[in-house]
Amino acid sequence: MKVMKGIILGSAAMFVGAGAQAADLPVKAKAIEYVKICSLYGAGFYYIPGTDTCIKLGGYLRADTMLATNVDFDAASTGVAGAQNRLSNYYTMRTRQDLKIDTRTATEYGVVRTYAELAFTWTTGTYSGLGTGGTAYTSSTGSQVAGGSLGLYNAFIQFAGFTFGKAVSQFSTPWSQYPANNFELPGSGGYDWVNQVTYTADFGQGITAAISAQDQVQNYTTNIWNVSGATAAGVAAGAYGANDIGGTRAPDLVAMVRVDQAWGLFQASVAAHDNHAAYYGATELTGHPGDKWGWAGQLALSIKNLPTGPGDTINLTGVYTNGASRYNFQDYLSTTYAMYGGTSVTGAYQSLGLAGISDSVFVTGSGQELTTTYGLNGGYTHNWNPYWNSSLFGAWAAVRHNNTAKSYICGAFVANLALSSGIAGCNPDFNYAVVGTKTSWTPVNNLTFTGELAYMMLDQKYASGSTVTLPLQSGVAKPAAVYELKDQNSLVLLLRAQRNF
């Protein structure tokens, strides 16, 4: 009996022990859902875990140093840069981290795509005169220490042929103002990210067409000058009137046709731009000029597979505008120019090149007179080998006013600056030209070092030997004195290191 009792108790103990051990065993873990490669849309896409949406992250980190300018990457053509004195920067530095987020989802209506590009930027600032023997710091990135700025370049949704949001204008070519360069050029629609609603039709074999309604504020408006409001200080800086732009009335309307094939690319673009002025005076009782529509047209050609070497390209663009000057002088360029230099004219303190760009001008009681511009840019890139390439590039653009607009501007110019040659020697038209060269070295994939030299020329049309009497320009430390009106130039150098990912 005792033996049987021992056997039963021992067996029970074994079962209890076994049960306890089983309870202590870990529960089988849920299978890990690893990130999977998405091959539907090219390299670099992955499925977002738990979804059928693919995502790709990319971007770049860039470090620039510009010599002989206050702007990245433009000529020393205005403000303290154009003053060519102790307030002008001998160098300007910029660092930027760019992040691109691309998502795509296949649906019964086609692919739904979202795309965003954000850039965190820090740029050297400038010091302007206060007129008291002191200076004040100004930063183009909104911070004096380390904050920098956040820029939203792209942010759009694409669905069933439509694009909604902020994207490159349909007017622009794939290279826009950069046919073979980084320097800012006129002569084409710019690489401008603008809010838009666009429909794109794809006809196959690389042929597409798009129609678009895009925001004209502020990328696609230069100035609407009320010349009756011109001041001596403003004219001395290239502003020929009080900027008198009203609120939005109509978006810019854009149409584009593109052929993109193995041999290269051809594109034709047109745009319509509403010029909507505010009031003649301080209140709505003073009246206003009526709206006036301007327009722009552009033709572009890219040639690939050149006999000079694999990957070599030529990009060419020509543009004409009337009342829509930003489609030529894109929004990274200044709209006013005041460039100082030396002089040989007796009694003159220095020389000065003055110019200004507008969409239209008017005086109190008149209608708007539209400004005409035309220009072209182009570039050739040659690949020496897989690691080195060089390019040559250039641009030329012209600004022209009709006789009525000239009479308005010249009346203000002579009255405010005492132009020595009078009305007869006054012509606010001008030409703007750039030539340059660039060489890049890519020692390893996605890491590039670049050196780029650009020479800009301002060809103003005031009578040769004319002088003006300027008021004190305290912001650029220029004294009230007589200045010779003369063509000017600017030579700048860019040194860049960039890592793409």
Side-chain angles (χ1 to χ4, degrees), residues 157-479:
I157 300 169
Q158 289 181 322
F159 174 69
F162 287 92
T163 298
F164 306 93
K166 197 167 191 249
V168 174
S169 171
Q170 302 304 311
F171 189 88
S172 300
T173 66
W175 60 89
S176 57
Q177 71 265 40
Y178 309 116
N181 55 286
N182 298 298
F183 190 86
E184 299 297 342
L185 299 180
S188 69
Y191 197 75
D192 298 308
W193 302 278
V194 59
N195 285 315
Q196 61 189 269
V197 177
T198 296
Y199 180 75
T200 303
D202 189 338
F203 301 102
Q205 299 185 346
I207 302 173
T208 57
I211 56 173
S212 180
Q214 69 179 34
D215 188 6
Q216 63 162 253
V217 182
Q218 171 176 14
N219 300 54
Y220 284 93
T221 300
T222 58
N223 300 291
I224 296 177
W225 275 327
N226 181 352
V227 181
S228 296
T231 64
V235 176
Y240 293 147
N243 210 357
D244 199 27
I245 301 171
T248 60
R249 287 300 180 271
D252 283 8
L253 304 177
V254 177
M256 177 273 290
V257 175
R258 178 182 295 171
V259 179
D260 188 355
Q261 298 175 343
W263 60 266
L265 180 147
F266 171 79
Q267 179 175 320
S269 311
V270 293
H273 174 83
D274 179 36
N275 292 287
H276 176 72
Y279 297 101
Y280 291 128
T283 74
E284 57 193 39
L285 296 176
T286 59
H288 59 82
D291 285 22
K292 204 163 187 179
W293 281 83
W295 66 278
Q298 177 179 266
L299 295 175
L301 178 68
S302 178
I303 304 174
K304 306 174 186 177
N305 302 319
L306 297 173
T308 54
D312 290 7
T313 58
I314 293 176
N315 296 321
L316 301 168
T317 309
V319 66
Y320 182 94
T321 76
N322 182 243
S325 300
R326 270 297 185 213
Y327 289 92
N328 184 356
F329 289 83
Q330 40 82 20
D331 73 310
Y332 288 106
L333 292 172
S334 177
T335 60
T336 57
Y337 302 94
M339 303 175 67
Y340 291 83
T343 183
S344 58
V345 172
T346 302
Y349 173 68
Q350 288 179 345
S351 64
L352 171 64
L354 278 178
I357 305 168
S358 64
D359 292 333
S360 69
V361 300
F362 65 91
V363 294
T364 298
S366 81
Q368 297 184 67
E369 300 295 329
L370 299 183
T371 303
T372 296
T373 81
Y374 42 90
L376 54 88
N377 65 44
Y380 164 67
T381 300
H382 172 64
N383 294 280
W384 301 102
N385 56 47
Y387 308 101
W388 289 89
N389 70 67
S390 298
S391 67
L392 298 172
F393 60 88
W396 179 87
V399 174
R400 300 291 184 263
H401 302 86
N402 63 32
N403 289 335
T404 301
K406 284 181 180 178
S407 70
Y408 296 162
I409 295 171
C410 288
F413 200 95
V414 172
N416 283 284
L417 300 187
L419 178 66
S420 63
S421 54
I423 294 293
C426 178
N427 185 352
D429 297 346
F430 71 96
N431 300 331
Y432 183 110
V434 178
V435 293
T437 182
K438 175 175 71 74
T439 293
S440 296
W441 174 47
T442 305
V444 297
N445 192 33
N446 292 325
L447 176 64
T448 301
F449 299 93
T450 299
E452 183 172 340
L453 190 68
Y455 181 70
M456 173 266 187
M457 296 155 281
L458 181 69
D459 174 21
Q460 53 91 48
K461 299 299 181 182
Y462 296 102
S464 177
S466 295
T467 62
V468 290
T469 302
L470 300 190
L472 168 67
Q473 302 285 293
S474 59
V476 295
K478 294 296 181 182

